[in-house]
Amino acid sequence: MLMLRTCLAFLLAFCQASLAQAQVSVLQPLQPVIRAQGTLLDAAFGSNHVFTQTEDAPAIISGTSGITSARHLSIYGIKEGSWLLSVPIAGGEAGECSTVKFDLSSSSLAVCTGNQEIQIRDANDLHLKRTLKISSGVRLNDITLSASQGVIYTVGINQIGSIILGSYSLSSGNLLSEFEASRGFQYPSVSMAIAESGQWLAMTVKDPGNRKTRGAIIVCKVNAATPVCKTLPQREFVAASGFLYNSTLLFVSSVLAGSHDSECVQSLKLSTFSIDPRAFCSKDGPAHYAMAVLGRDKVVAFTGYAKRNGFTENTTPVTNNASVWSVEPKQVIAIAEDNAGGRTLQTEERLVADPQQENRFMMFRRFATTISIYQIPKVN
């Protein structure tokens, strides 16, 4: 009798696993695949639109300190399947901030156009509303928006390696606050994510100059009169993050990983600052380089991988897929196939959630020329 029960339990578990595997959808990009009007720097969803910042071929221009390129801000209509408008914006040097963020309530775009400038533009006709100048001595890395607060947050690096967090009014452009969020870095690059409530802000850090802690997560409570930040050093580069339920931060590393490596989406509980290194895992490949939270019940992360030639140290992409998990239960429900990455590095992969449509996201690479949009089918 005991043997029979054991066999039935094994058979039930096998059937459940087979059923879960059978329910994994294979997502193809919506057509047509978007062909950018230049080399992609960043992209953001609007109301059935995609906003892009692109650059032309770089060139050394007289009077500048480095290689400079002309930049353009453009609107792509998803329903129309075509570009609707494109305007030139200030050129920037290679490697400077290029983030694009959309605010639905004000129908505005916040556009990072260099290491010390942010443009606020109308999302309908792209006309310039105002320009924000960042404090001298601070090199701008990234920006993000808090729609609930009407605030633009900026993160930059000063000359001694401190990370400076600033906040500006989206409506007036006035500086609200500026303070040192963390210090002790060598050559950091920083990106940001903010919780929907506007209570928490996270910064993920890559610091190639530090051999002991090559990365860090900086979590700040920003809805208080005086923001409070906590720095959590990491052994590897931290690439991207996103908030789940306003109480948990999800993030991925930026390590080169092969098909058999076990990199997963990690989670950080904001109440205890404890980290689960295996919050969301996929057997299809390591989760690294890029991720996004889709609404309240899904997570997507890049799970493609590459082979590295130990002699030449070159890497060759093998797969360029992304995996989509349900939050409850934690299982892969879809695989997004993307073969449009081109020859740019997988480390430049980006995943962006559509805040207006929870089952839609885009995947692209910085310095490539295509954007793929995916729609996750609803399950009845």
Side-chain angles (χ1 to χ4, degrees):
M1 188 67 178
L2 180 60
M3 183 177 294
L4 178 60
R5 289 179 179 176
T6 303
C7 291
L8 289 174
F10 176 80
L11 182 61
L12 178 60
F14 177 79
C15 291
Q16 288 175 337
S18 299
L19 181 60
Q21 182 67 26
Q23 291 176 340
V24 175
S25 302
V26 177
L27 307 179
Q28 298 294 336
L30 300 181
Q31 297 299 322
V33 172
I34 302 175
R35 304 288 175 181
Q37 297 182 318
T39 300
L40 278 165
L41 298 177
D42 197 24
F45 276 110
S47 299
N48 271 317
H49 298 104
V50 171
F51 301 99
T52 65
Q53 183 172 178
T54 58
E55 65 178 0
D56 298 335
I60 299 177
I61 298 177
S62 176
T64 66
S65 58
I67 298 177
T68 303
S69 60
R71 296 186 181 186
H72 287 81
L73 184 66
S74 305
I75 305 176
Y76 181 88
I78 297 176
K79 289 184 177 180
E80 294 84 353
S82 61
W83 293 100
L84 306 179
L85 183 62
S86 182
V87 298
I89 56 178
E93 293 184 14
E96 289 186 343
C97 182
S98 56
T99 309
V100 178
K101 295 294 183 181
F102 170 69
D103 179 60
L104 178 63
S105 60
S106 64
S107 191
S108 297
L109 293 171
V111 185
C112 195
T113 60
N115 62 10
Q116 284 192 299
E117 183 181 280
I118 301 168
Q119 295 184 0
I120 308 301
R121 289 181 173 264
D122 186 273
N124 298 305
D125 61 12
L126 301 183
H127 80 264
L128 181 63
K129 293 181 176 181
R130 68 188 66 88
T131 299
L132 310 184
K133 294 292 185 180
I134 307 303
S135 300
S136 60
V138 176
R139 185 177 180 87
L140 188 61
N141 266 219
D142 196 16
I143 62 174
T144 193
L145 293 177
S146 172
S148 61
Q149 298 174 308
V151 171
I152 303 172
Y153 287 97
T154 65
V155 61
I157 315 298
N158 66 13
Q159 296 175 351
I160 61 172
S162 295
I163 293 178
I164 308 299
L165 181 65
S167 63
Y168 295 79
S169 168
L170 179 61
S171 60
S172 67
N174 293 334
L175 175 66
L176 303 176
S177 67
E178 188 176 68
F179 72 102
E180 183 185 75
S182 191
R183 63 171 64 182
F185 296 95
Q186 300 294 321
Y187 307 104
S189 61
V190 190
S191 59
M192 286 194 293
I194 192 163
E196 185 179 357
S197 65
Q199 179 179 6
W200 294 96
L201 182 146
M203 291 170 273
T204 53
V205 183
K206 302 176 188 177
D207 190 12
N210 194 327
R211 294 183 178 181
K212 292 183 179 179
T213 56
R214 289 159 55 83
I217 300 170
I218 305 168
V219 182
C220 301
K221 199 169 185 178
V222 292
N223 65 336
T226 303
V228 178
C229 298
K230 182 179 179 65
T231 301
L232 304 171
Q234 303 293 305
R235 289 180 298 176
E236 301 292 347
F237 296 154
V238 185
S241 63
F243 284 90
L244 183 65
Y245 302 145
N246 291 311
S247 61
T248 301
L249 178 72
L250 302 181
F251 64 95
V252 292
S253 71
S254 185
V255 299
L256 175 68
S259 60
H260 299 295
D261 291 323
S262 57
E263 290 293 319
C264 302
V265 178
Q266 303 182 57
S267 67
L268 169 67
K269 286 188 176 181
L270 299 176
S271 58
T272 62
F273 293 104
S274 60
I275 292 177
D276 178 3
R278 299 184 61 80
F280 297 90
C281 302
S282 172
K283 68 177 184 179
D284 295 298
H288 56 163
Y289 299 148
M291 65 144 294
V293 177
L294 308 179
R296 299 178 183 275
D297 61 353
K298 297 181 186 68
V299 177
V300 59
F302 183 71
T303 49
Y305 60 91
K307 289 183 178 180
R308 182 167 184 165
N309 186 312
F311 180 73
T312 64
E313 295 188 352
N314 292 330
T315 58
T316 303
V318 178
T319 64
N320 294 305
N321 299 338
S323 297
V324 181
W325 291 263
S326 58
V327 172
E328 292 294 341
K330 292 182 179 180
Q331 64 182 31
V332 175
I333 60 172
I335 301 292
E337 296 185 342
D338 181 27
N339 296 313
R343 296 186 178 183
T344 55
L345 296 174
Q346 289 184 338
T347 53
E348 300 296 342
E349 197 74 38
R350 299 293 185 269
L351 289 162
V352 180
D354 187 340
Q356 277 77 55
Q357 295 196 30
E358 294 184 353
N359 287 324
R360 190 161 70 179
F361 65 94
M362 70 170 113
M363 182 158 56
F364 66 94
R365 282 187 200 167
R366 277 172 52 84
F367 313 119
T369 57
T370 59
I371 301 173
S372 298
I373 297 178
Y374 298 88
Q375 186 79 37
I376 304 169
K378 293 183 179 180
V379 178
N380 296 324

